[in-house]
Amino acid sequence: MNSYPLFISCPRGLEAVLAQELSALGAEKAAALDGGVRCQGSLKTVYRINLHARTAGRVLLQLAGGGYRSEHDVYRLARETDWPAWFDVGQTFKVQIEGKRPRVKSLEFTALKVKDALCDRFREATGSRPSVDKAAPDVRVHVFLDEAQALLFVDTSGEALFKRGYRRETGAAPLRENLAAGLLALSGWDARQPLLDPFCGSGTLVIEAAQILCDHAPGLNRHFGIEQLRIHDAALYDGLATALRERARQGIEKAPRGLIRASDLDPHAMRLTAENLQTLGLPDDLVEMQTLDAVDAQPGDTPGVLLATPPYNERVSIPVEHWRAIGATLRERFGGWKVFLLTSDRGLPGQLGLREDRKTPLFNGAIECRLFEFSMRQRG
């Protein structure tokens, strides 16, 4: 079976977490880079990553690469690529480009040159050219330029992988699902400890946790770009997906109830959480939900992990006095717990009256954040 060169993107700061995931899924030669992981894998591995990888953003399969000095060199690289071997002239496509200190005057113009090269190759092979669809293309072509190299990829994911296929509505500044999965990994939550999110919003963190608890693959409820490519093997893919659905069914039956808890001051947020669970096909009782101010949060009988993305920046503003009260709740009630809070507000520990053990830089989309870790001491 062919082995393909791949680049798997992820939220910045989660590269090491993703590299571990990919190695566990059968990817070879995984190497963390800025914003993702370079690796190699078979077609089966490509399917497995799209279906399984919780922290991945896109699975890009490299078609070509080489040195360049101008847009014309990039055109030649794209012109030499056998695009008709990858998709049909009747399908639509879109070219996306990004660069890191690229040696071209305009990325947009370079993307147009790649589009022209692709169409010219099709016209030579078939007598016609495919159409561009910027909104919902069948095939997405990605171009990356650095100071010396131009790389051409085809996107096997289609829609970004953080789109799990269940979300109908979000609250303000929603947490991306693959970042939520990364936060769970960084927190050390092992699907056996209690988990509490007292700022749950539309439930992203606890829904990711519920999927982990049930062994529910994050890609089960969606389609992928690879289904539009000539290399797609429907029988292989269907076999993998069927096995995963059975694993999820058994996982739902065996998963302990009451281990994951979610609360929020906004009743609408709690309704969204319940609706999102139902859309995924997960039972409501997997997550214990309550409309509650974080000040009134209770720890339960066994210490665990409190993980949350409290409101920041464009989200609802919370007065300093309220943060102080929340900090007091954590100190007085949550002895023995590990607390992890993701925020773009670097002054949050001071507002809580707590000193962090560690802070990890992460990005939620374009928003630079810190994951603050606190160890709550046992009292008495």
Side-chain angles (χ1 to χ4, degrees), residues 2 170 302 314 327:
N2 290 337
T170 64
T302 306
E314 69 278 9

Side-chain angles (χ1 to χ4, degrees), residues 1 43 47 226 229-239:
M1 186 175 286
L43 180 60
Y47 287 135
I226 196 168
L229 301 178
R230 292 192 189 278
I231 60 168
H232 178 50
D233 183 334
L236 175 59
Y237 173 78
D238 290 344

Side-chain angles (χ1 to χ4, degrees), residues 7-218:
F7 180 78
I8 322 299
S9 65
C10 68
R12 286 167 60 193
L14 291 181
E15 294 89 350
V17 174
L18 175 60
Q20 291 181 340
E21 264 201 289
L22 297 177
S23 295
L25 291 171
E28 299 175 343
K29 301 179 182 178
L33 306 173
D34 184 26
V37 174
R38 183 179 61 230
C39 61
Q40 288 186 308
S42 65
L43 180 60
K44 183 177 181 180
T45 302
V46 172
Y47 287 135
R48 285 172 57 81
I49 296 170
N50 275 301
L51 285 163
H52 285 267
R54 299 186 187 276
T55 56
R58 292 184 183 277
V59 182
L60 305 179
L61 190 155
Q62 185 178 326
L63 301 185
Y68 76 101
R69 289 185 295 179
S70 70
E71 297 90 342
H72 304 293
D73 296 326
V74 181
Y75 171 89
R76 280 193 291 271
L77 182 67
R79 183 73 171 73
E80 292 166 0
T81 302
D82 189 5
W83 300 103
W86 290 92
F87 65 98
D88 186 83
V89 70
Q91 293 174 286
T92 60
F93 76 100
K94 175 184 179 181
V95 175
Q96 296 173 257
I97 190 168
E98 60 180 304
K100 187 175 183 180
R101 296 186 295 273
R103 296 173 60 186
V104 295
K105 293 180 180 179
S106 168
L107 286 175
E108 291 76 13
F109 179 71
T110 306
L112 286 174
K113 297 296 287 184
V114 172
K115 174 190 73 72
D116 290 344
L118 185 154
C119 290
D120 289 346
R121 183 65 186 249
F122 263 104
R123 190 178 287 111
E124 179 186 75
T126 69
S128 58
R129 49 156 289 177
S131 299
V132 172
D133 183 342
K134 294 183 178 181
D138 297 317
V139 176
R140 298 169 190 259
V141 173
H142 290 255
V143 184
F144 179 79
L145 306 178
D146 64 16
E147 292 175 301
Q149 289 275 312
L151 302 175
L152 304 181
F153 300 89
V154 66
D155 186 348
T156 72
S157 298
E159 291 279 3
L161 293 178
F162 73 81
K163 298 181 180 181
R164 307 298 203 215
Y166 69 81
R167 193 179 294 282
R168 297 175 183 173
E169 181 183 349
T170 64
L175 179 69
R176 289 190 173 181
E177 288 79 353
N178 56 346
L179 177 54
L183 297 180
L184 287 161
L186 291 171
S187 76
W189 182 69
D190 62 5
R192 293 189 297 271
Q193 307 160 283
L195 178 73
L196 171 63
D197 180 357
F199 296 95
C200 76
S202 57
T204 306
L205 271 169
V206 293
I207 290 171
E208 286 299 307
Q211 290 180 82
I212 293 170
L213 193 66
C214 297
D215 202 8
H216 184 289

